[in-house]
């Protein structure tokens, strides 16, 4: 790089400009001496600067002359401070702040505002950065505070000064917003004015459900443009009630919009404010009662959160368990925590008091079929209930998924107290099942294995042909004992030893936690006899044996091939129940059971029931016939009678006949169509 001389010249050394356009001969000689000399053991202060053309150069740091200072803070009630940056040639304002120096103003602000995000009124120095929105939000309270001051006092004079600053700074904003708010409208430029952090309850529907949030702060987003509302609401994390944070954005809009049409707006602007508040309060009280573990029925949309952008939606119509604690224990990636209302020390103190009261009660008896955990949680206030989430977390037994559920779609379980009366089973078997279940549920048997914890479950194997009531027996036991029924199959457990252990342990864990009746349907693949050559099957059976040994709940397994069972299972089965083909009397009773549940006009007499019972079909087929005949009757807008039932039965029998013929040809000719005899 070529150097230039004095009078604005630039001198280059090692590709960097090091001299100053205003250097005199002495300075030039000084720089030459430094350049030609050896490295010095000194600390040198250098400034990196830019020319008007943007070229970089370095110059020796020059100390500036500082003018005599005045203690501005003690001489003026307010100071508007511009924080400058850059050098003396290109200075710019980095930020502007209002310094509150008057002790009167500090006391008034502290008592009036108390808390506002980004500003502290409890410190010795009080500074408010531009755009001073806190002063806009609290201008009315500050004006009211002035009415309590003595006229012409120093405090009143200082507050008048502050109010004058506020009205000058926000003159246009106040004028425009007052005009818009009189019409219930707002524009995007002044949208922030209707949201005051800390005191504003925001109405913002979520998934179509009315929701309320407490506003903690707001900020502006550029991409996409909008006002981000930083809010909090009340939730339950399985252990504590507390608050969670979330953000809602009101997208930028042009012109003026009606406030109540925005995606989120202050509750006071809701056209039906009182009705919505009552709705939120009532739902919050229902939500509060579900903190713990509860068995319920659910009919609505369930949300499953995974790795995608949003939740997957499932239409749920069945029984569920509400259990946030187990949800978080088994779905660790989806956990959340809350800022608890009650401290750990308070909870420990309460637990000690509760335990002392419990010990004093000599007649106490604990019997929780489904453990409804009593948590150390104080009742929520009305405001906290309004801020409560509209959802709870739990497990759907029909979908076998962990889901978030809407509180309004939950209802108590409608138990069938006469379920055993409708079960078509020999009286001796039915009595045995009822006795074993009742004893196990009430935990009256004080019996354990040599190794503590082993053999405390109730394991029953139900074997026999399809459609004779095996699965129905397990469902009836769950109904009778008022417990959840968790039904799984080989597809849920997997048929590889690498996955069976983890899945089976997890399912047994869930069933034990909820004291559910566990049904493993079509369990033949896990119970078949081991061999010397099939190591994969041996692993499946071994895992199944080991895990079941320590299961303490009620377990039903159904099978159609009991003759293939491994010998090790025989000693682990408490009750093996054999189901035979249905008799005519059994089929008649099943016909009556299903038809008695049918809505609408049913015209059947005993003679018709006797005729229906002659058809050699199983219980599941009877249920399908009743459902199909009912649809046929509704289509023709006629009562359900024997003729329509017989019409469907004939179709069923024709199908069975064709299926039998196909199987016979398959047996005679072989699977490839070749004659087995005389090829």
């Amino acid at each position: 790089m070529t150097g230039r001389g004095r009078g604005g010249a630039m001198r280059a050394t090692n590709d960097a400009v090091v001299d100053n356009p205003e250097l005199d001969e002495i300075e030039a000689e000084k720089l030459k001496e430094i350049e030609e000399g050896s490295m010095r053991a000194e600390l040198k202060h250098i400034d990196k600067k830019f020319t008007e053309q943007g070229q970089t150069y370095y110059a020796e740091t020059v100390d500036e002359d500082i003018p005599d200072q005045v203690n501005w803070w003690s001489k003026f009630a307010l100071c508007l401070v511009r924080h400058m940056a850059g050098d003396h040639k290109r200075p710019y304002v980095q930020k502007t702040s209002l310094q509150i120096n008057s002790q009167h103003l500090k006391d008034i602000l502290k008592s009036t505002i108390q808390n506002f995000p980004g500003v502290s009124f409890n410190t010795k120095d009080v500074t408010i950065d531009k755009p001073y929105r806190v002063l806009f939000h609290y201008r009315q309270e500050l004006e009211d505070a002035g009415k309590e001051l003595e006229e012409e006092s120093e405090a009143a004079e200082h507050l008048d000064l502050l109010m004058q600053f506020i009205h000058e700074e926000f003159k246009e904003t106040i004028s425009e917003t007052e005009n818009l708010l009189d019409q219930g409208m707002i524009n995007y430029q002044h949208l922030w004015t209707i949201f005051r952090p800390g005191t504003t309850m925001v109405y913002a529907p979520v998934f179509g459900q009315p929701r309320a949030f407490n506003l903690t702060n707001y900020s502006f987003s550029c991409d996409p443009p909008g006002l981000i509302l930083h809010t909090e609401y009340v939730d339950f994390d399985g252990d504590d009630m507390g608050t969670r944070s979330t953000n809602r954005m009101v997208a930028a809009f042009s012109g003026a919009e009606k406030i109540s049409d925005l995606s989120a707006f202050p509750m006071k602007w809701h056209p039906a404010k009182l009705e919505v508040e009552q709705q939120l309060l009532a739902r919050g009280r229902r939500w509060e009662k579900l903190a713990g573990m509860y068995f319920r029925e659910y009919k609505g949309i369930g949300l499953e959160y995974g790795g995608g952008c949003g939740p997957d939606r499932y239409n749920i119509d069945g029984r569920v368990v509400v259990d946030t604690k187990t949800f978080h224990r088994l779905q660790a990636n989806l956990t959340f925590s809350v800022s608890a209302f009650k401290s750990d020390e308070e909870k420990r103190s309460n637990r000690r008091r509760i335990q002392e009261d419990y010990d004093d009660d000599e007649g106490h008896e604990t019997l929780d079929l489904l453990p409804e955990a009593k948590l150390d949680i104080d009742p929520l206030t009305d405001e906290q209930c309004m801020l409560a989430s509209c959802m709870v977390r739990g497990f759907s037994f029909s979908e076998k998924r962990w889901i978030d559920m809407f509180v309004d779609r939950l209802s108590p379980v409608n138990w069938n107290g006469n379920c055993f009366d409708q079960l078509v089973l020999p009286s001796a078997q039915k009595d045995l099942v009822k006795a074993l279940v009742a004893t196990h549920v009430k935990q009256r048997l004080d019996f354990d294995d040599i190794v503590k914890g082993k053999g405390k479950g109730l394991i029953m194997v139900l074997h026999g042909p399809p459609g004779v009531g095996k699965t129905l027996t397990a469902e009836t036991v769950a109904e009778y004992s008022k417990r959840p029924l968790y039904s799984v199959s080989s597809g849920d457990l997997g048929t590889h030893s690498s996955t069976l252990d983890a899945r089976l342990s997890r399912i047994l864990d869930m069933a034990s936690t909820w004291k559910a009746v566990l049904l493993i349907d079509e369990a033949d693949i896990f119970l078949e006899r081991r061999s010397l050559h099939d190591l994969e099957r041996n692993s499946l059976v071994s895992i199944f044996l080991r895990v079941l040994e320590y299961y303490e709940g009620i377990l039903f397994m159904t099978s159609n091939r009991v003759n293939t069972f491994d010998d090790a299972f025989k000693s682990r089965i408490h009750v093996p129940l054999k189901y035979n083909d249905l008799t005519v009397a059994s089929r008649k009773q099943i016909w009556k059971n299903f038809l008695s549940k049918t809505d609408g006009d049913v015209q059947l007499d005993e003679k018709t029931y006797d005729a229906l019972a002659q058809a050699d079909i199983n219980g599941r087929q009877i249920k399908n016939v009743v459902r199909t005949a009912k649809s046929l009757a509704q289509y023709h807008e006629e009562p359900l009678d024997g003729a329509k039932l017989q019409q469907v039965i004939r179709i069923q029998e024709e199908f069975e006949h064709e299926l039998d013929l196909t199987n016979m040809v398959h047996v005679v000719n072989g699977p490839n169509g070749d004659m087995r005899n005389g090829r």
Side-chain angles (χ1 to χ4, degrees):
M1 181 180 296
T2 304
R4 290 177 290 177
R6 290 188 61 194
M10 307 291 292
R11 183 183 179 90
T13 302
N14 296 330
D15 293 331
V17 181
V18 295
D19 64 344
N20 191 298
E22 300 178 357
L23 285 177
D24 55 18
E25 293 293 339
I26 298 176
E27 292 172 334
E29 289 295 328
K30 180 180 178 181
L31 286 180
K32 182 178 179 182
E33 181 183 349
I34 293 173
E35 183 178 357
E36 295 176 352
S38 59
M39 182 176 288
R40 303 181 184 183
E42 299 176 12
L43 174 64
K44 191 65 175 176
H45 294 269
I46 303 295
D47 291 340
K48 181 179 180 180
K49 299 184 178 181
F50 299 90
T51 67
E52 293 182 358
Q53 292 77 25
Q55 189 176 7
T56 305
Y57 72 95
Y58 296 87
E60 182 178 7
T61 302
V62 179
D63 294 334
E64 295 185 24
D65 293 332
I66 300 177
D68 294 337
Q69 293 295 291
V70 176
N71 189 355
W72 309 98
W73 323 123
S74 64
K75 300 301 180 183
F76 295 87
L78 297 174
C79 286
L80 197 62
V81 183
R82 294 194 307 164
H83 299 261
M84 309 300 294
D87 55 25
H88 65 284
K89 290 185 176 181
R90 293 185 178 181
Y92 64 91
V93 180
Q94 191 174 37
K95 72 173 183 176
T96 303
S97 60
L98 181 67
Q99 187 79 25
I100 310 295
N101 302 319
S102 166
Q103 189 59 46
H104 299 298
L105 291 180
K106 291 180 181 178
D107 294 339
I108 293 172
L109 290 169
K110 181 179 179 180
S111 62
T112 303
I113 303 177
Q114 297 179 354
N115 184 38
F116 194 88
V119 183
S120 174
F121 297 102
N122 296 310
T123 55
K124 180 181 178 181
D125 297 326
V126 177
T127 302
I128 305 174
D129 292 337
K130 194 174 183 177
Y132 326 114
R133 291 195 176 108
V134 60
L135 299 178
F136 174 88
H137 286 304
Y138 284 89
R139 68 187 188 282
Q140 187 59 54
E141 285 83 352
L142 292 172
E143 189 171 324
D144 293 340
K147 298 176 182 178
E148 302 178 1
L149 301 176
E150 294 183 8
E151 294 184 6
E152 298 183 359
S153 64
E154 185 179 60
E157 183 181 5
H158 289 181
L159 184 57
D160 287 342
L161 175 66
L162 178 61
M163 295 307 301
Q164 181 182 353
F165 171 82
I166 293 173
H167 285 288
E168 289 178 357
E169 185 70 24
F170 296 104
K171 181 179 180 180
E172 293 183 5
T173 301
I174 293 173
S175 175
E176 291 186 32
T177 54
E178 286 180 350
N179 179 50
L180 288 168
L181 294 180
D182 285 342
Q183 306 171 59
M185 305 185 76
I186 197 68
N187 56 22
Y188 179 67
Q189 178 186 355
H190 299 114
L191 180 60
W192 63 271
T193 62
I194 65 174
F195 293 103
R196 189 166 88 171
T199 61
T200 301
M201 182 176 287
V202 176
Y203 177 82
V206 177
F207 295 117
Q209 298 286 311
R211 288 291 303 276
F213 302 87
N214 185 35
L215 181 70
T216 58
N217 201 358
Y218 56 75
S219 59
F220 287 91
S221 169
C222 296
D223 187 19
L227 181 68
I228 300 177
L229 305 178
H230 305 277
T231 63
E232 63 181 14
Y233 64 99
V234 175
D235 211 337
F236 175 66
D237 65 4
D239 294 309
D240 297 302
M241 289 280 194
T243 57
R244 289 180 64 190
S245 298
T246 186
N247 295 336
R248 294 297 301 271
M249 190 179 82
V250 181
F253 54 91
S254 59
E257 290 280 350
K258 193 174 181 180
I259 294 176
S260 58
D261 289 341
L262 299 175
S263 60
F265 56 88
M267 179 69 77
K268 69 177 183 178
W269 291 100
H270 198 289
K273 176 176 178 292
L274 294 179
E275 291 83 348
V276 170
E277 287 179 343
Q278 290 299 319
Q279 181 183 0
L280 292 172
L281 178 59
R283 187 184 66 195
R285 290 299 177 197
R286 294 194 299 273
W287 176 87
E288 179 185 20
K289 294 178 181 179
L290 293 171
M293 188 187 302
Y294 297 93
F295 189 39
R296 292 290 185 267
E297 290 184 355
Y298 185 75
K299 187 173 184 178
I301 299 299
L303 305 179
E304 181 186 47
Y305 288 88
C309 299
D312 295 326
R313 292 168 170 80
Y314 295 92
N315 189 28
I316 309 294
D317 187 2
R319 293 177 177 177
V320 298
V321 61
V322 177
D323 186 1
T324 302
K325 187 168 186 174
T326 305
F327 187 118
H328 287 183
R329 179 169 62 85
L330 297 180
Q331 300 288 104
N333 291 334
L334 300 176
T335 60
F336 62 77
S337 59
V338 299
S339 297
F341 294 137
K342 184 177 290 187
S343 67
D344 292 339
E345 180 57 36
E346 288 176 314
K347 289 187 288 185
R348 284 193 293 269
S349 176
N350 282 353
R351 279 198 294 269
R352 287 194 295 269
R353 175 181 53 78
I354 293 171
Q355 185 61 44
E356 291 170 0
D357 295 341
Y358 178 84
D359 292 340
D360 291 339
D361 182 9
E362 296 180 357
H364 62 257
E365 180 180 358
T366 58
L367 178 59
D368 286 335
L369 301 185
L370 178 76
E372 299 185 350
K374 303 300 185 291
L375 300 169
D376 181 20
I377 297 175
D378 290 336
L380 298 180
T381 65
D382 287 351
E383 181 180 355
Q384 289 170 342
C385 279
M386 291 173 60
L387 295 172
S389 172
C390 66
M391 311 193 77
V392 292
R393 308 195 112 175
F395 185 80
S396 167
F397 290 102
S398 59
E399 291 289 332
K400 299 182 181 64
R401 296 179 185 277
W402 292 99
I403 57 172
D404 285 7
M405 299 168 281
F406 295 100
V407 173
D408 289 340
R409 309 302 298 177
L410 288 163
S411 61
V413 176
N414 184 21
W415 300 106
N416 182 4
N418 301 320
C419 54
F420 258 111
D421 296 335
Q422 299 171 355
L423 179 63
V424 178
L425 195 67
S427 57
Q429 291 185 344
K430 187 186 298 187
D431 185 63
L432 175 62
V433 172
K434 288 180 67 174
L436 287 171
V437 170
T439 303
H440 186 273
V441 165
K442 296 180 181 179
Q443 300 175 349
R444 291 175 179 168
L445 289 179
D446 187 16
F447 182 82
D448 204 352
D449 204 302
I450 296 175
V451 178
K452 187 173 180 61
K454 287 180 62 178
K456 298 183 71 173
L458 176 60
I459 300 176
M460 289 184 267
V461 170
L462 315 178
H463 59 97
V468 294
K470 301 189 297 298
T471 302
L472 181 61
T473 301
E475 295 170 347
T476 301
V477 166
E479 201 76 13
Y480 170 74
S481 58
K482 295 185 177 181
R483 295 190 174 197
L485 174 68
Y486 190 3
S487 177
V488 297
S489 63
S490 59
D492 301 310
L493 294 172
T495 56
H496 298 283
S497 58
S498 58
T499 58
L500 175 63
D501 197 355
R503 291 185 183 179
L504 183 58
S505 298
R506 185 185 181 91
I507 288 172
L508 294 180
D509 181 355
M510 294 158 62
S512 298
T513 300
W514 302 323
K515 296 188 177 180
V517 173
L518 179 60
L519 168 64
I520 302 179
D521 215 358
E522 305 295 340
D524 306 87
I525 189 172
F526 306 112
L527 306 177
E528 286 187 9
R529 189 175 296 109
R530 286 170 286 188
S531 66
L532 295 176
H533 308 292
D534 194 342
L535 298 181
E536 182 67 21
R537 177 172 301 283
N538 294 349
S539 298
L540 290 176
V541 175
S542 299
I543 292 171
F544 213 73
L545 286 168
R546 174 176 54 81
V547 175
L548 293 184
E549 190 75 34
Y550 291 89
Y551 181 58
E552 298 184 4
I554 300 175
L555 170 63
F556 285 91
M557 292 184 287
T558 66
S559 172
N560 297 328
R561 301 193 302 270
V562 70
N563 58 323
T564 65
F565 277 18
D566 190 273
D567 292 339
F569 278 105
K570 296 178 181 179
S571 60
R572 289 169 171 81
I573 297 170
H574 297 100
V575 183
L577 293 180
K578 186 178 187 304
Y579 288 70
N580 298 313
D581 288 326
L582 297 175
T583 63
V584 173
S586 298
R587 285 197 292 270
K588 182 178 179 180
Q589 184 60 46
I590 293 174
W591 277 110
K592 288 186 175 182
N593 289 343
F594 281 123
L595 288 168
S596 65
K597 300 177 183 179
T598 303
D599 298 330
D601 190 8
V602 179
Q603 297 180 357
L604 297 174
D605 54 19
E606 286 296 320
K607 185 177 180 181
T608 304
Y609 279 117
D610 290 336
L612 292 173
Q614 298 302 316
D616 187 15
I617 55 179
N618 62 43
R620 191 172 287 109
Q621 292 170 324
I622 292 174
K623 180 176 69 173
N624 294 335
V625 168
V626 171
R627 180 183 299 169
T628 305
K630 180 183 176 182
S631 299
L632 186 62
Q634 289 177 343
Y635 176 76
H636 291 288
E637 297 181 352
E638 298 175 351
L640 179 59
D641 54 18
K644 293 181 179 61
L645 291 168
Q646 291 290 357
Q647 179 182 348
V648 179
I649 289 175
R650 284 194 295 272
I651 296 173
Q652 179 72 37
E653 289 178 335
E654 288 175 5
F655 171 74
E656 293 288 339
H657 179 68
E658 291 293 330
L659 186 62
D660 290 342
L661 288 177
T662 301
N663 291 336
M664 186 180 300
V665 171
H666 182 80
V667 170
V668 173
N669 292 345
N672 297 320
D674 298 325
M675 294 294 292
R676 290 186 179 275
N677 297 315
R679 292 188 186 181

